[in-house]
Amino acid sequence: MNAPVQQRWPRPADERWGDRLRLRLAVEHGVPAPVAEEAVAEARLACWESGRPAEELFGAADEHAAEVARERVPVERRAAVDLDGTSPRDRWATLLLGAGSGGLVGGVSLLVAQGWTTAVTPAGLAVLAATAVGLAGAAWGVLERRAGRLGRGWAWIAAGAAGLVACVAAADALRDRPALGELPVPLVLLVSLALVVAGAKLPQRPATLDAGAAGDPDEWFARLAGLLRGRYHLSRADARARVEEARGYWRDSGSAHPGDEFGTPEVHALHLVEDSPEPRRRRVRLQAWSCTALAALCAATAVRTALEEGFGGELLWRAAVVAVVTCLAVGAWRRSAPQRDQDLA
């Protein structure tokens, strides 16, 4: 079989399967690009040699991606990241990408609503600071929570919320101050795009386990519970039951430390949930609730705009935002249904 043929898939459906396999390996499992490309190439070659479809040979792309990750990525590396393949080391990349994406959306909104320039006011700068502080606190808090440090995660979220409230209060106090000047909206888009590029290009070090994260047995089991709840989204009752089961097994084993029996809390937490669809289903359900709340907030803003200003350009783009967020919420709710495990993103 010549090289050009080997670079193609036998069927369009197989090519779509291979693209999804590559995507899931990179996004969900954090598999290094060379390993992912090797797995895709092996699947493509198997399809040519057998004459059978990829899904018939390997099953659903998502399931095969999980199998490839288990077989080819060390368990310590898989256990060091959350369900999105991130860890607290990625906080700056997360912040830059979030700020840049939000800036692009805001810039497009300003372009539609106000044209090529917008007034820069002290109140507007305070709102910008509120957004940055709230975003940073939320990003830091979520990453700490997913790392199993629930208390630290809530502390970051609370700090972000407090900063948000303070900046909003400052914005309200400054709302009557005159504008400081005019800002070109294309400049906002360029800066936001630069933030996205910087976040994507930020050097990423592979996440590693913290060997000293859990010293005595109580700390080890507390970290295990934090990981089950914060990273894998188990309920408090489910996490407690699994921790108590592990504690009982450790006591019966007679080993001096639970780490001698189970390894690190991260590795054991991964072993407990690796074959279960519940963590990803619960994560999608959380995303569904978040999108639903955001859709309700956007809808309330659109209704207020309609009552105060009537039909116009601002109402149109607010209605478009409501439609997009509502579609995201509906999609998340559908993916969170038990019978749709194979479609979880």
Side-chain angles (χ1 to χ4, degrees), residues 110-174:
L110 287 173
L111 193 62
V112 172
Q114 301 188 26
W116 295 102
T117 61
T118 183
V120 179
T121 64
L125 292 176
V127 170
L128 181 62
T131 303
V133 170
L135 176 63
W140 265 239
V142 167
L143 287 176
E144 290 291 352
R145 180 176 176 83
R146 290 180 178 180
R149 303 180 181 95
L150 303 186
R152 194 181 302 181
W154 282 120
W156 275 112
I157 293 173
L164 176 65
V165 171
C167 291
V168 168
D172 184 65
L174 297 171

Side-chain angles (χ1 to χ4, degrees), residues 127-340:
V127 170
L128 181 62
T131 303
V133 170
L135 176 63
W140 265 239
V142 167
L143 287 176
E144 290 291 352
R145 180 176 176 83
R146 290 180 178 180
R149 303 180 181 95
L150 303 186
R152 194 181 302 181
W154 282 120
W156 275 112
I157 293 173
L164 176 65
V165 171
C167 291
V168 168
D172 184 65
L174 297 171
R175 62 182 175 178
D176 294 329
R177 297 290 182 88
L180 302 175
E182 295 288 326
L183 176 67
V185 175
L187 180 61
V188 176
L189 295 173
L190 288 176
V191 171
S192 300
L193 182 61
L195 291 175
V196 171
V197 173
K201 296 293 185 181
L202 200 66
Q204 299 281 317
R205 293 182 300 168
T208 56
L209 297 177
D210 184 0
D216 61 51
D218 288 337
E219 291 177 353
W220 192 98
F221 285 112
R223 184 67 184 279
L224 176 63
L227 288 162
L228 291 174
R229 291 183 56 207
R231 176 173 295 179
Y232 299 115
H233 307 286
L234 297 190
S235 67
R236 186 187 299 270
D238 288 344
R240 184 186 301 113
R242 292 175 185 252
V243 169
E244 290 305 316
E245 181 181 358
R247 191 189 296 270
Y249 188 93
W250 165 64
R251 286 171 176 165
D252 294 340
S253 71
S255 58
H257 191 277
D260 300 333
E261 189 68 27
F262 302 113
T264 65
E266 292 88 348
V267 168
H268 189 58
L270 178 63
H271 283 156
L272 288 175
V273 302
E274 193 165 26
D275 296 325
S276 171
E278 275 304 302
R280 288 184 172 84
R281 182 185 300 139
R282 289 174 181 270
R283 179 189 62 176
V284 174
R285 191 173 299 151
L286 178 62
Q287 294 171 351
W289 278 113
S290 300
C291 288
T292 301
L294 181 59
L297 178 62
C298 293
T301 304
V303 170
R304 187 183 65 181
T305 301
L307 294 176
E308 293 178 354
E309 302 181 15
F311 184 82
E314 185 170 356
L315 178 60
L316 286 177
W317 75 258
R318 289 185 185 277
V321 171
V322 172
V324 170
V325 178
T326 301
C327 289
L328 293 175
V330 171
W333 281 114
R334 293 181 62 186
R335 294 197 307 274
S336 69
Q339 66 271 21
R340 301 277 304 222

